[in-house]
Amino acid sequence: MGRVLVWLIAAISFLAFSLQPAMSEPKHAIAMQGEPALPADYTHFDYANPDAPKGGNITYCVVGSFDNLNPFILKSLRTTARGMMDLNYGNLVFEPLMTRNYDEAFSLYGLLADSADMDPERKSIEFHLNPDAKWSDGEPVTPEDVLFTYDVFTDKGRPPYRDRMSLIAKLEKTGDHSVRFTFNDKANRETPLIIALTPIIPKHAFNKDTFDKTTLKPVIGSGPYTVDKIQPGQRIVFKRNPNYWGKNLPSKRGFDNYDQITIEYFLNANAKTEAFKKGICAIYDEGDPIKRERDIDFPAFHRGEVIAETFDTGIPPVVTGFLFNTRLEKFSNPVVRRALGMLYDFEWANKNLFGGKYTRTMSYWQNSELSALGHPASDREKALLAPYPGRVPADVMDGTWRPPVNDGTGQDRKVLKVAFDLLKSQGYAVKDGVLLDPKGSPFGFEILTASQDEERFAAIYQRTLEKIGITVTIRSLEADQIQSRKQRFDFEVLIGSSGFSNSLSPGIEQSFRWGSSEAKREGSFNLAGVADPAVDAAIDAMLRARTKEDYVAAVRVLDRLLISGNYMVPMQYNAQQWLAYWNYLDHPKKTPIFGYQWPTWWRKAN
């Protein structure tokens, strides 16, 4: 009997072990598709200079204000101080478990976690924390901090952080320096990477009960800088932590080169530009080629003290334009939106405002293999769209769709007629020079703008729309007012600030921008209010794709659906990045596919 019992216990133990997810060997990096490009013994990212001099200071300038230092809460989300956790200036205070290599589509390398075990099915991942990782007060980073982060984010955090626990079946400490995430059926193949990119906060330095309250008290993080000085709404100063634990990591060599980083806030773009000319701001970025040529025409530039430079990138252009709030009845009809989309006169704007240097934006992944443009729908795509017949017009399906082209005079009536005929087919009519909707009410809308440039674009659109009787008003607001209105979906049409940056590895962020579950959630990034099961299915297929062919097909389907939905009127782009900067700055010779990376720049030694 005893032998039988021993055998039975052994069999149960074996079965329990066999049901555990099969883990791979710990790896220094993980990738969304394929394998990471850099080996385990890499010394630094290729676009960083490991010998960059350290020291000096830099001042960045932004438009807006701030009243909060906690970037993880919904309250004051849009007015949280820049730099705390920032795509442009770097994660100065808070850090994730792993960090991106911006010269790959989507690969992550060790940071707070020096390695990770991910099972081949991506049902679980175990992170091994770097034993040297410390908070800025010297306390070690522990598995308990990771568990606390997810606990407090779930109860008190803002989207998307508060939603990540819903993808996790089990979160457990597995050792003194390790923690494992086991995922449920809601998760997808990108989920382990999203978890790896989630910033971690210290359990000992935050109070869960008051976590969702705004604060201007300097907070503790693990990053290379600490908050030094604050002038609410005007200025935040970061100073380098001389005891930063990660300064010699391969993923951090050549980064974080300044002793002090200041971020100055200005009321509008013109004030920011003048501050650059006076030498207050170190860098000036401007997309409008005519405006930037005018703005850098000042003595310091001609003396060579200011440098203007362009940088090539390998990513799709940022999509900016007029975004409709489809929650409103007036914008609920996609045919109406399609007609409105025809009435932005790009050819006139390009000729008169941009010197012919811009290209019309037509796709959300333009200039990449993920774009629907020029690619007829494959069998994989047709299968994904089969449950949603008629959702995508024939010309979008075969990749030949292009927006109508005007003659550049500003007086081309051909496009106006096509657009009006579309509106007429939906019950619209003109009476006494005013376009009336099917109920007989005048049709018009308000465009919110946050700068003079945006006002100019809105005026171009307004002028064309008025020719068929559509009354458009333009309201200019401060950037923080715009952000507040966006958070409440209190707008009709947005311009400029509704831009979307897309990568070569789109993922879960697409559900936040376009997913039905986000359409009515306060503070979400689904500003257009898209609630379409076809879009949801395309995003789900993209997130679950196992092969590159399936992945590309799913993204192209999403692109076709967004184009067909006419949720916004895309404007134009310039494929190159342009910067002007004072000549005391320098940067690495190589530009990664995601473009210049300010955290790798440095101040020249005197």
Side-chain angles (χ1 to χ4, degrees):
M1 181 68 181
R3 291 182 179 181
V4 173
L5 182 60
V6 170
W7 177 87
L8 183 59
I9 293 174
I12 293 173
S13 298
F14 175 79
L15 180 61
F17 178 79
S18 65
L19 292 176
Q20 292 291 322
M23 304 301 288
S24 62
E25 289 296 315
K27 292 186 176 181
H28 70 292
I30 55 178
M32 183 62 198
Q33 303 287 339
E35 294 294 326
L38 302 181
D41 60 352
Y42 83 102
T43 59
H44 63 281
F45 292 146
D46 291 345
Y47 57 88
N49 175 10
D51 299 318
K54 305 285 186 182
N57 60 76
I58 188 172
T59 297
Y60 298 113
C61 295
V62 298
V63 174
S65 65
F66 73 95
D67 59 5
N68 179 36
L69 295 183
N70 185 345
F72 308 112
I73 60 175
L74 186 60
K75 189 175 182 181
S76 296
L77 162 64
R78 311 290 185 178
T79 52
T80 296
R82 298 292 302 273
M84 304 297 294
M85 186 189 65
D86 203 293
L87 289 175
N88 292 323
Y89 309 126
N91 294 330
L92 304 183
V93 174
F94 296 106
E95 295 180 310
L97 293 167
M98 305 185 83
T99 188
R100 291 190 78 147
N101 175 6
Y102 283 102
D103 208 28
E104 299 179 55
F106 194 4
S107 292
L108 307 181
Y109 292 76
L111 189 56
L112 287 177
D114 56 19
S115 63
D117 299 347
M118 183 167 61
D119 84 274
E121 298 301 314
R122 301 196 178 189
K123 294 296 184 183
S124 67
I125 186 169
E126 184 175 50
F127 295 100
H128 302 276
L129 300 179
N130 190 315
D132 295 328
K134 290 183 174 55
W135 303 107
S136 59
D137 62 359
E139 291 293 314
V141 177
T142 67
E144 285 77 13
D145 292 318
V146 180
L147 272 60
F148 173 77
T149 296
Y150 277 82
D151 178 42
V152 74
F153 281 2
T154 301
D155 288 349
K156 301 279 190 173
R158 65 169 174 87
Y161 302 113
R162 73 182 182 200
D163 304 321
R164 291 177 183 173
M165 200 66 187
S166 66
L167 307 176
I168 300 168
K170 183 189 296 186
L171 172 54
E172 57 188 324
K173 175 181 177 180
T174 54
D176 291 341
H177 300 288
S178 59
V179 59
R180 178 186 289 138
F181 294 78
T182 303
F183 305 112
N184 58 33
D185 291 339
K186 296 180 182 178
N188 55 68
R189 292 183 62 78
E190 188 190 37
T191 302
L193 283 79
I194 298 302
I195 296 298
L197 280 176
T198 301
I200 303 302
I201 62 173
K203 180 179 180 180
H204 69 279
F206 282 90
N207 185 326
K208 181 179 176 180
D209 293 336
T210 59
F211 185 79
D212 56 351
K213 308 298 182 183
T214 60
T215 181
L216 286 172
K217 179 182 178 181
V219 292
I220 292 173
S222 64
Y225 291 86
T226 58
V227 176
D228 185 30
K229 300 174 184 175
I230 298 171
Q231 261 186 278
Q234 299 179 40
R235 178 183 303 110
I236 180 168
V237 180
F238 300 90
K239 67 176 180 180
R240 187 212 304 279
N241 178 4
N243 300 315
Y244 172 51
W245 71 274
K247 57 188 173 184
N248 293 318
L249 292 178
S251 61
K252 296 297 286 183
R253 288 191 185 122
F255 287 75
D256 315 315
N257 299 314
Y258 307 109
D259 287 338
Q260 178 178 289
I261 295 175
T262 300
I263 299 179
E264 292 275 354
Y265 285 77
F266 294 86
L267 293 177
N268 55 60
N270 287 337
K272 187 180 79 165
T273 300
E274 292 306 311
F276 172 74
K277 293 179 180 180
K278 293 176 182 178
I280 297 173
C281 313
I283 295 174
Y284 169 63
D285 57 329
E286 172 59 56
D288 183 338
I290 303 300
K291 186 176 187 299
R292 67 196 186 201
E293 288 178 10
R294 182 183 70 239
D295 287 346
I296 65 168
D297 185 15
F298 65 106
F301 174 72
H302 295 296
R303 292 194 301 265
E305 296 170 10
V306 169
I307 299 169
E309 187 173 356
T310 58
F311 301 82
D312 292 319
T313 73
I315 57 175
V318 175
V319 181
T320 60
F322 303 91
L323 183 136
F324 302 116
N325 186 350
T326 66
R327 301 170 187 85
L328 305 177
E329 184 179 357
K330 67 174 65 180
F331 297 127
S332 62
N333 186 336
V335 178
V336 172
R337 299 196 299 267
R338 182 181 181 187
L340 296 174
M342 295 179 173
L343 297 174
Y344 175 65
D345 195 340
F346 163 74
E347 286 72 26
W348 186 92
N350 195 35
K351 176 182 177 182
N352 292 278
L353 301 182
F354 307 123
K357 298 179 180 179
Y358 270 50
T359 301
R360 183 70 191 265
T361 305
M362 297 177 282
S363 161
Y364 290 81
W365 284 275
Q366 202 154 327
N367 301 332
S368 80
E369 66 176 343
L370 302 177
S371 174
L373 298 181
H375 296 109
S378 65
D379 290 340
R380 284 182 171 88
E381 294 179 64
K382 292 176 182 177
L384 287 173
L385 287 167
Y388 312 100
R391 196 63 59 92
V392 177
D395 57 350
V396 180
M397 280 295 285
D398 65 23
T400 62
W401 174 86
R402 298 293 185 275
V405 177
N406 287 280
D407 61 12
T409 65
Q411 304 296 326
D412 192 340
R413 303 189 66 82
K414 298 191 303 295
V415 175
L416 286 174
K417 184 180 186 308
V418 174
F420 177 72
D421 287 345
L422 270 179
L423 291 169
K424 189 176 178 181
S425 73
Q426 302 301 303
Y428 288 71
V430 172
K431 182 178 180 181
D432 298 327
V434 177
L435 185 72
L436 304 179
D437 66 21
K439 295 181 179 180
S441 302
F443 180 78
F445 52 85
E446 177 185 78
I447 301 175
L448 297 185
T449 65
S451 69
Q452 290 183 345
D453 287 341
E454 292 184 4
E455 288 180 43
R456 183 171 51 168
F457 295 138
I460 294 170
Y461 197 31
Q462 177 190 51
R463 183 185 64 184
T464 306
L465 290 165
E466 287 178 343
K467 292 177 181 178
I468 60 171
I470 299 175
T471 300
V472 173
T473 57
I474 301 171
R475 174 175 294 188
S476 298
L477 298 175
E478 299 294 341
D480 55 341
Q481 293 176 299
I482 295 270
Q483 297 288 17
S484 177
R485 296 276 289 268
K486 286 165 66 175
Q487 186 168 319
R488 305 192 309 270
F489 309 129
D490 181 18
F491 65 90
E492 292 186 323
V493 176
L494 291 173
I495 177 177
S497 55
S498 56
F500 299 103
S501 298
N502 277 322
S503 73
L504 298 173
S505 183
I508 193 65
E509 79 284 348
Q510 300 302 315
S511 67
F512 303 141
R513 293 175 183 175
W514 312 111
S516 298
S517 63
E518 300 293 311
K520 295 183 179 180
R521 182 178 300 189
E522 180 180 330
S524 89
F525 293 96
N526 185 350
L527 297 172
V530 179
D532 183 351
V535 169
D536 295 336
I539 294 172
D540 183 66
M542 175 189 70
L543 295 175
R544 295 184 182 280
R546 287 176 166 272
T547 67
K548 182 177 181 180
E549 291 77 14
D550 287 342
Y551 182 76
V552 172
V555 180
R556 285 184 184 169
V557 165
L558 178 58
D559 196 28
R560 295 185 205 278
L561 288 165
L562 296 179
I563 292 170
S564 304
N566 300 287
Y567 300 108
M568 66 184 301
V569 184
M571 294 191 295
Q572 59 275 323
Y573 72 92
N574 188 322
Q576 289 184 315
Q577 293 178 322
W578 179 93
L579 285 179
Y581 56 92
W582 287 84
N583 66 2
Y584 54 75
L585 295 180
D586 205 349
H587 61 79
K589 293 180 180 179
K590 179 172 181 177
T591 302
I593 59 175
F594 280 81
Y596 57 73
Q597 300 295 311
W598 284 338
T600 67
W601 289 41
W602 63 88
R603 188 158 185 145
K604 295 176 183 175
N606 294 330

